[in-house]
Amino acid sequence: MAEGDEQTDPRVVGNDVSGSVHSLVQGRSFDNATINFFGGVSRLPLSAPAMLPPSHGPYTDRHAVHERLDQLADREVGMVQLGGVAGVGKSSTAMRYLRSRSERYRGGVYYADLGGGRAGRGVSVAEALDGWLVAKGVLSSEVPPSLAARSALFQRITADEPVAVLIDDPASAAQVAALCPTSQGSLIMVTGHHELAGIRTSHSAEFLRVPMLDHAFALELLTDLVGEDRVQAEQAAFDQLAAFSEGHPLMLRVIAAELSRGRWDSAGELAQRLADTRSRLRASDQIMSSGGDYSVNAALELSVRGLPESGRALLRALASHPGSEFGPDLIDFLGSDFSTLADLVESGLVTVLHEPGTPRSSRRWRLHTLVQDFIRREEAADSVAYVSSQKAIIGWYLRRTAVADRARSPRWHVGPDFDDEPPFGDVDAAVSWLEAEQANLRSAVVAASELGDDNTVWQLCEVLWGLYFWSNPFGDWIDTHHLGIESAVRLGNRAAEARIRLQLGFAYYNQDDIEQAAAEFASALSLAEDSGMVKVLAAAIESAGLADLRLGRPAQALDRFEEVLALVEADPETGLAAVANAQRHRARALGAQGRYAESIAVFTDHAIPTYQAEGKSSYNVARTLVDLSDVLIAAGRADEAVEHLHLAIAEFGRLRNPLQGAVALIALASAYEAFADVGNAADALTRAAEVYEALGSLKAADVRARAQALRGGTER
């Protein structure tokens, strides 16, 4: 009500109409309605319009965004831009927030969907102001014709009380400026897939990205959409579907709609299709395109289309990356810059995984799988460029892994060493890189195999030794090396096949599956004899000897190790480490035959001094101390073994080799048992069991059972 007007309570309105007509009837839509005026009514101004459209469906987990908005409002920050990938819920988050804080904005809450400048979508700025002015009580006939005059009038009639304005998807900062109120304490919220150029400087706007939902909240939203009973009936499948959505609210709604249409026999069937690498693109395309203009594909198209060309180019390159997570060195390799990457982050297409203040070398980002799938489909028409980009990235991974493997271990390669590739700063940097890229390296092997790039497949497998042998991710190790063997067979490269079979054999050997390991070693030995490469042959004989030793054939093992020693001593290219290895294994075979004094002498007089002379084998020295300790325990000198084992355990910890640390812990338990220290023995076994369980090793159950037995069955 305008000040000074005499009017009955505006909330009490009867059906009698009299006087002059000075009003406009406004509605969002009138279907099949006829409006007739007989006589007239006085102007009925709305002192605090609430123009937000209704909310649709469930809403969850935007507490952090709401809290941040409260902080900004308390600071009287006049403008906030909510950014993020299309469909993430920017508008619904803003609407829910403003509804819950409407009492703060006594002058009203105003809304305009400008449609991002898309033809036929949204309203113009002039149309938005026309609706706002009429809602505030301005007569339609009194609304000024020009945009500038409408903007000035809106500012004047809202000048006395704080108002909130929500502007969805403007195309420019100029559009926003025309819709801004001037009253103290007002809040302007702007949504968009990308930050508007100049909006921070011209309006001191704060940018706030609306993130994807965390997994728990994604599952909560999916449960709200399909019903709790259905989710409980297929809990694992809905967990997978929530994970596939990557917390994208629109994707969750599409998944719920898909399940209601009956295209899939169950949620489990859909989850299985999406989880399978080979069928995922087809299945995800089917559901992502569902919904026409409101599909996930349409939403992502809006987000991608608004990027500058540099951003789209980086996005295309990242989509050809075999994995989804990446570090700064990949951005450098792709020839992009971090301001372009920052644009992708602010658009919600890329997620930051590192904490603020993380050193540059340790920073990590992730391209959403939905975005990656979308770009891959978009690039399908230009498959040559996509495949070329993918091969370039896989080749980069091969070169970097080869350099990292050589930094970690002096072992030789059958494949190229890529000496022109820049080295890592130190061993720790190489190890950190390998550990960070583990998932991507597995994906690179799989992708190279699917591309038919057999040389890259087996070469990648070979240089993964420095990662797999030390950290023992047995699933990745075995899966990739089967692909490597298939590639070497297709190429007819016997030396490569022998090398990869030897490495695969050690995956089984380290799990105590000695029979399977021995079978791989035997195949490798036959191939090595045909290859004509002395290094490969010596490695194959040595591996077969290790299997003999574990299978209770120490005399046969000793013969093999003597043969290896003769080969490596006669080959000047093999190096001191190979000689020391042969001596260490000779000593183990002697100890297994009960020839303790001879064994200890070979360890202390030959193996350890040779490793020390080589100067790069702290790992092998630690391994030798464990082997020496086994013989000392068997010889009744367990007290001497304890000190050696503590040194070895500390070294394996420093080297980040948990498996060998567990082996040393088991030997330490045997030393404690030898002089009846049951408590320390059980503790050492428990620690070893925890390592094996974390690695997924077959040894875990036996070691845990042994610890239980020592504790009298109370081990948990």
Side-chain angles (χ1 to χ4, degrees):
M1 183 187 307
E3 188 175 347
D5 284 353
E6 292 185 11
Q7 177 71 40
T8 58
D9 187 341
R11 293 169 295 181
V12 182
V13 181
N15 292 323
D16 294 332
V17 179
S18 61
S20 300
V21 177
H22 294 294
S23 298
L24 172 72
V25 175
Q26 183 203 12
R28 192 166 179 83
S29 64
F30 296 93
D31 296 328
N32 301 318
T34 301
I35 309 298
N36 294 311
F37 290 96
F38 302 97
V41 296
S42 300
R43 183 187 310 174
L44 190 62
L46 300 176
S47 60
M51 301 183 66
L52 296 175
S55 299
H56 300 286
Y59 177 82
T60 186
D61 181 41
R62 293 303 182 202
H63 310 301
V65 178
H66 285 200
E67 287 176 5
R68 180 60 179 154
L69 288 170
D70 278 338
Q71 293 170 2
L72 295 173
D74 290 342
R75 285 170 40 199
E76 296 195 352
V77 170
M79 184 179 294
V80 177
Q81 180 173 6
L82 293 181
V85 66
V88 79
K90 300 179 292 293
S91 298
S92 60
T93 298
M95 290 176 192
R96 298 276 184 156
Y97 176 78
L98 291 176
R99 271 198 198 89
S100 67
R101 308 296 192 275
S102 59
E103 74 285 348
R104 188 170 193 159
Y105 304 104
R106 299 185 301 278
V109 179
Y110 299 83
Y111 172 74
D113 180 3
L114 302 186
R118 305 186 301 279
R121 305 290 290 272
V123 298
S124 68
V125 175
E127 289 172 325
L129 283 167
D130 178 78
W132 292 5
L133 292 170
V134 170
K136 187 64 176 172
V138 176
L139 295 175
S140 179
S141 60
E142 295 174 357
V143 173
S146 75
L147 175 61
R150 290 182 185 187
S151 178
L153 179 57
F154 175 68
Q155 291 175 348
R156 188 166 64 251
I157 66 175
T158 59
D160 296 331
E161 293 182 306
V163 301
V165 169
L166 173 56
I167 308 169
D168 257 341
D169 210 10
S172 68
Q175 288 184 316
V176 173
L179 296 170
C180 287
T182 58
S183 53
Q184 187 72 21
S186 290
L187 175 65
I188 304 103
M189 297 182 72
V190 180
T191 71
H193 316 311
H194 309 282
E195 183 178 358
L196 290 176
I199 197 171
R200 292 202 196 199
T201 53
S202 59
H203 297 282
S204 299
E206 291 277 354
F207 185 86
L208 180 58
R209 189 168 62 84
V210 179
M212 300 290 198
L213 296 170
D214 289 341
H215 178 77
F217 289 106
L219 184 59
E220 179 183 302
L221 179 57
L222 195 53
T223 302
D224 289 341
L225 291 166
V226 304
E228 188 172 356
D229 290 344
R230 187 168 186 185
V231 172
Q232 288 180 345
E234 293 187 85
Q235 185 70 56
F238 279 100
D239 262 327
Q240 291 177 2
L241 292 173
F244 174 77
S245 77
E246 298 202 325
H248 194 297
L250 179 56
M251 186 62 173
L252 290 162
R253 295 178 189 278
V254 170
I255 287 172
E258 276 293 304
L259 293 174
S260 69
R261 288 191 183 100
R263 294 183 184 179
W264 312 91
D265 291 338
S266 64
E269 182 193 1
L270 177 56
Q272 184 176 1
R273 289 284 299 278
L274 293 173
D276 181 71
T277 302
R278 296 180 188 276
S279 67
R280 191 189 78 224
L281 278 178
R282 189 181 306 116
S284 66
D285 187 41
Q286 182 175 340
I287 64 174
M288 287 174 71
S289 60
S290 175
D293 288 345
Y294 297 98
S295 70
V296 178
N297 277 344
L300 292 176
E301 183 180 359
L302 290 175
S303 294
V304 172
R305 190 175 63 186
L307 292 169
E309 176 53 35
S310 59
R312 292 196 296 273
L314 177 56
L315 201 59
R316 288 193 295 269
L318 291 175
S320 67
H321 179 249
S324 58
E325 183 182 320
F326 57 91
D329 46 355
L330 179 64
I331 300 300
D332 292 337
F333 169 71
L334 294 173
S336 188
D337 57 62
F338 286 88
S339 62
T340 301
L341 178 61
D343 289 341
L344 299 184
V345 170
E346 288 200 340
S347 299
L349 300 167
V350 169
T351 297
V352 176
L353 301 179
H354 54 266
E355 296 295 328
T358 300
R360 181 184 185 276
S361 61
S362 300
R363 294 175 188 171
R364 305 291 291 178
W365 297 265
R366 183 172 64 84
L367 180 65
H368 290 294
T369 303
L370 299 181
V371 178
Q372 193 170 38
D373 287 354
F374 170 76
I375 297 295
R376 286 173 175 176
R377 278 189 293 272
E378 293 292 297
E379 293 292 298
D382 189 10
S383 59
V384 174
Y386 175 82
V387 170
S388 176
S389 177
Q390 189 175 46
K391 284 186 174 181
I393 292 174
I394 294 170
W396 174 76
Y397 269 119
L398 170 59
R399 295 191 300 276
R400 297 308 292 157
T401 306
V403 172
D405 185 54
R406 290 305 301 271
R408 188 165 204 180
S409 168
R411 70 191 294 269
W412 50 272
H413 294 152
V414 173
D417 283 327
F418 305 102
D419 293 330
D420 57 340
E421 184 71 16
F424 287 89
D426 52 33
V427 174
D428 286 343
V431 171
S432 295
W433 186 87
L434 287 169
E435 291 174 347
E437 298 294 343
Q438 179 178 321
N440 289 331
L441 292 170
R442 175 198 168 97
S443 296
V445 173
V446 173
S449 177
E450 291 176 345
L451 290 169
D453 189 353
D454 288 324
N455 269 313
T456 297
V457 174
W458 78 259
Q459 288 175 28
L460 253 176
C461 288
E462 182 184 30
V463 297
L464 279 168
W465 177 261
L467 172 64
Y468 287 171
F469 183 76
W470 290 67
S471 57
N472 292 277
F474 294 117
D476 286 2
W477 189 346
I478 292 169
D479 291 346
T480 55
H481 280 53
H482 277 300
L483 294 176
I485 289 168
E486 291 171 8
S487 290
V489 169
R490 282 192 290 268
L491 292 168
N493 189 330
R494 290 181 173 273
E497 184 185 351
R499 182 68 150 170
I500 306 307
R501 283 194 181 278
L502 288 174
Q503 294 187 180
L504 175 61
F506 277 103
Y508 297 119
Y509 185 90
N510 285 356
Q511 293 187 87
D512 265 3
D513 189 352
I514 306 303
E515 294 288 351
Q516 185 64 45
E520 294 296 342
F521 294 156
S523 296
L525 180 54
S526 175
L527 291 161
E529 289 170 343
D530 292 340
S531 74
M533 290 187 66
V534 174
K535 290 180 179 180
V536 177
L537 179 59
I541 296 170
E542 182 178 273
S543 300
L546 292 173
D548 287 333
L549 199 56
R550 293 288 296 277
L551 291 170
R553 302 191 290 255
Q556 185 172 328
L558 182 59
D559 289 342
R560 292 192 191 274
F561 297 143
E562 297 282 5
E563 184 179 358
V564 171
L565 183 61
L567 283 171
V568 297
E569 285 183 332
D571 183 358
E573 294 185 3
T574 56
L576 289 175
V579 175
N581 284 340
Q583 293 286 20
R584 174 164 67 92
H585 296 319
R586 282 184 63 240
R588 293 178 63 203
L590 289 167
Q593 295 179 72
R595 297 159 65 178
Y596 301 135
E598 293 174 79
S599 172
I600 292 169
V602 173
F603 277 130
T604 56
D605 297 343
H606 297 284
I608 292 176
T610 305
Y611 282 132
Q612 291 172 335
E614 192 262 347
K616 300 178 182 178
S617 297
S618 61
Y619 165 79
N620 282 322
V621 171
R623 287 286 305 274
T624 306
L625 290 176
V626 176
D627 294 336
L628 171 59
S629 296
D630 287 336
V631 176
L632 289 170
I633 293 167
R637 297 160 59 179
D639 55 329
E640 297 177 45
V642 171
E643 182 178 354
H644 292 317
L645 290 168
H646 279 298
L647 289 172
I649 290 166
E651 184 62 17
F652 291 134
R654 187 186 70 80
L655 294 171
R656 300 187 219 176
N657 192 316
L659 180 69
Q660 292 305 322
V663 171
L665 284 166
I666 291 174
L668 182 62
S670 297
Y672 283 129
E673 280 187 277
F675 42 81
D677 188 345
V678 174
N680 275 326
D683 287 344
L685 289 171
T686 298
R687 289 166 59 195
E690 290 169 351
V691 172
Y692 286 130
E693 286 162 355
L695 295 173
S697 172
L698 302 175
K699 283 184 174 183
D702 289 342
V703 176
R704 179 72 71 180
R706 183 177 161 191
Q708 273 186 309
L710 284 176
R711 295 190 190 279
T714 61
E715 176 73 13
R716 291 288 183 269

